[in-house]
Amino acid sequence: MITPDQLLMLPVCLEVTVEPSQLDLFGYLTAHTLVSLADEAGYVYYAEFGVDASYFESGVNGAFTLSLMLDRYAPVQTGDTLGVRYRLLGYSYKRVHSMAFIVNETKREVAATVELLDSHANLVERRTSPWPDAIAAQLTTLFERHHALDWDAPVCGVLQP
Amino acid sequence: MLQLPAISDVSALPLHHRATIIADYIDQMAHMNIQYYLHLYTQAIPSFYASLGMDKTYFRSGHGFFTLNHCISYYPEVVVGETVAIHSRILGYSAKRLHFMFLMVNETTGRLASTLEELDSHADLTLRRTSPFPDAIANRIHQRMEADARLNWQAPLCGVLNP
């Protein structure tokens, strides 16, 4: 399994402290919470390749999530601090394939991963659409950086950009 | 190309939750945010497990389940005011594990909105460890599995989860 030290090269996109209301009947962080953390952190991650808040403000450009795979590795407890880091796994002219690592910074272990396949979208036509050239260029740069990491992400194996 | 099941087939499966999408679920892209699909799927869990003999009383007696994997596919967008219904299909099971799919139908548009494929393990909450299903529960799962195995349509599986 990936260790927190291997993730240090990836910036922290979000940091939160676990609250009691985020645990389920069995004392585990709810899946809804894990996905909401990945989603919120995703906006910070997208800015790394030029898709920031101003990009979405036009109301024309957006992104659709096509598939999501959530894997849990270790339980978390109330009061634990979680950090979310993203790795770009691949991209195509319309899509990005990413993994959010939800790290329990208190226990120094990966609590969960969320693997996502997203598509750029035209929000007026409500259809997927290609990345603009300027964004595609930044995706290339970020992918080259992340692809150079000396560890493999624990991908499910069926999501492809 | 993934073949999605017909709505008439999905709607014939047991229904576990129905909801109308509220404005709080809508994100900057003007559609239901990904986290609320999971929120709605979670609302369907108690009814689904109760249909297999695992109700609130059962879960208050030291039994539980751990979810090992979730795989969610998102199909046409769901927007505010639309009504969705969540149906279940069992895909497989073993001594400890249950592999199932929730299928979310957008009843307003008549289209399949999403699927959740999930792998859960029965658990002994006093030991915080996975544990086998009791015989009575295993029999209920087996009966439901036999019925679902006779369905004449394929569930749109992600292909990597196995019980």
Side-chain angles (χ1 to χ4, degrees), chain B residues 72-133:
Chain B
I72 305 179
S73 295
Y74 304 92
Y75 301 121
E77 299 172 278
V78 177
V79 300
V80 68
E82 292 181 338
T83 298
V84 298
I86 297 172
H87 301 264
S88 69
R89 176 172 178 172
I90 292 189
L91 303 168
Y93 69 99
S94 65
K96 290 182 176 182
R97 294 183 175 186
L98 181 62
H99 180 205
F100 66 92
M101 179 171 280
F102 279 165
L103 300 102
M104 182 184 290
V105 173
N106 185 330
E107 294 188 327
T108 305
T109 62
R111 303 179 75 180
L112 186 65
S114 169
T115 57
L116 164 69
E117 190 179 341
E118 184 165 317
L119 187 61
D120 289 353
S121 176
H122 186 264
D124 180 329
L125 294 184
T126 57
L127 301 174
R128 309 298 298 178
R129 293 178 64 90
T130 61
S131 63
F133 291 106

Side-chain angles (χ1 to χ4, degrees), chain A residues 72-83:
Chain A
R72 293 167 184 267
Y73 296 101
V76 302
Q77 294 176 314
T78 299
D80 286 352
T81 298
L82 304 179

